[in-house]
Amino acid sequence: MNPSLPIGIFDSGVGGLTVTRQIHRVLPNEDLVYLGDTARVPYGSKSPSTVVRFACEDTQFLMQQHVKAVVVACNTCSAWALPILEKKFQVPVFGVITPGVVAALMASKSKRIGIIGTNATIRSKAYTSGIMARCETAKVFAKACPLLVPLVEEGWTNHPVTQTILKDYLTPMLRQKMDTLILGCTHYPLLKTAIRKVVGPDVALVDSADSCARYVREHLENRRMLNPSSKRTGVIQPFVTDEADRFAEVAKRFLGYPCEPPWKVDLAPL
Ligand code: DGL
């Protein structure tokens, strides 16, 4: 595998740009190819078989772009499709669940850990099983928060309505005395300030985008797959499956800076 090839990243839509942002931060010399399946978002309310099918089609598209590794930025896809993608495709495939689990166990003193995510992610129990496999005595409190993705996409991250909804979702977990909360969805890093207001200063927030980026760097380094040219800044090439117009505006919020105009593509069915 040629280490100068780009890293592929995919998500159901724009949310995975939070992961892209962190990967670009920790691996600034790498070229990144981003696919947002904006025509079929959201994945979080879909059935497991549909999520797996979409994840395979997304990965197949990235493989056609000749990527050296694939990052499954979408928590819902990581939760349901990772083992299948690892088997099906010939490049290393990284998800967000394991890095999030490892970071949460490191951050938690009491091992009372909360997880929030989409309906599909919580239904998969992927985070819970990952934690229990590494720490039998841990107590895990999981909550699906389906209202949060649309609120973030609307830009309502500081809106009082969002604060009320977060209180409703998180209060039962606070009663269980969790000391760590995994933000198990691409969109939740944008809610960190709002979540902090609800949980207070003593609960550690684990940003799965950040832990995933560091995990990818470590693993590519170990496999000697990092781009050897350290002189230039890598480019981020986005692809989307729906109209590109709205993407640019929302993407800036998730990425933190404007990105290249995206190409609209049609994904081949498997
Ligand atoms: N990207 C999805 C995730 O992280 C959230 C948006 C969706 O439901 O598709 O689970």
Side-chain angles (χ1 to χ4, degrees), residues 245-263:
D245 300 3
R246 193 170 138 71
F247 179 86
E249 164 209 327
V250 184
K252 198 173 152 196
R253 273 195 285 123
F254 282 80
L255 199 58
Y257 39 83
C259 61
E260 297 286 314
W263 292 85

Side-chain angles (χ1 to χ4, degrees), residues 8 10-12 19 24 43 68 75 88 99 123 139 152-153 164 183 207 215-216 248 270:
F10 80 86
D11 179 48
S12 53
V19 179
H24 186 59
Y43 286 7
K68 64 182 171 189
N75 282 252
K88 209 173 160 63
R123 184 178 158 197
K139 291 274 175 286
V152 173
E153 291 203 359
T164 306
L183 311 183
D207 175 341
Y215 183 86
V216 169
L270 283 175

Side-chain angles (χ1 to χ4, degrees), residues 18-99:
T18 54
V19 179
T20 307
R21 177 184 193 158
Q22 297 300 338
I23 293 180
H24 186 59
R25 187 176 60 82
V26 303
L27 291 170
N29 309 122
E30 298 291 333
D31 290 326
L32 307 177
V33 174
Y34 181 83
L35 171 67
D37 189 8
T38 47
R40 301 190 292 194
V41 68
Y43 286 7
S45 53
K46 306 266 184 333
S47 67
S49 62
T50 300
V51 170
V52 169
R53 179 162 56 88
F54 288 177
C56 289
E57 289 171 3
D58 296 340
T59 307
Q60 180 176 257
F61 171 81
L62 291 176
M63 295 301 292
Q64 287 159 356
Q65 308 311 306
H66 306 291
V67 296
K68 64 182 171 189
V70 169
V71 179
V72 185
C74 180
N75 282 252
T76 303
C77 292
S78 294
W80 283 105
L82 196 68
I84 296 163
L85 300 178
E86 282 171 334
K87 252 194 229 140
K88 209 173 160 63
F89 296 96
Q90 305 300 317
V91 297
V93 183
F94 304 105
V96 284
I97 309 278
T98 301

Side-chain angles (χ1 to χ4, degrees), residues 82-131:
L82 196 68
I84 296 163
L85 300 178
E86 282 171 334
K87 252 194 229 140
K88 209 173 160 63
F89 296 96
Q90 305 300 317
V91 297
V93 183
F94 304 105
V96 284
I97 309 278
T98 301
V101 162
V102 171
L105 284 168
M106 272 168 65
S108 175
K109 290 198 181 84
S110 66
K111 308 300 177 212
R112 299 179 74 81
I113 299 171
I115 300 155
I116 53 175
T118 64
N119 276 321
T121 297
I122 299 305
R123 184 178 158 197
S124 76
K125 296 195 167 54
Y127 276 110
T128 308
S129 327
I131 291 171

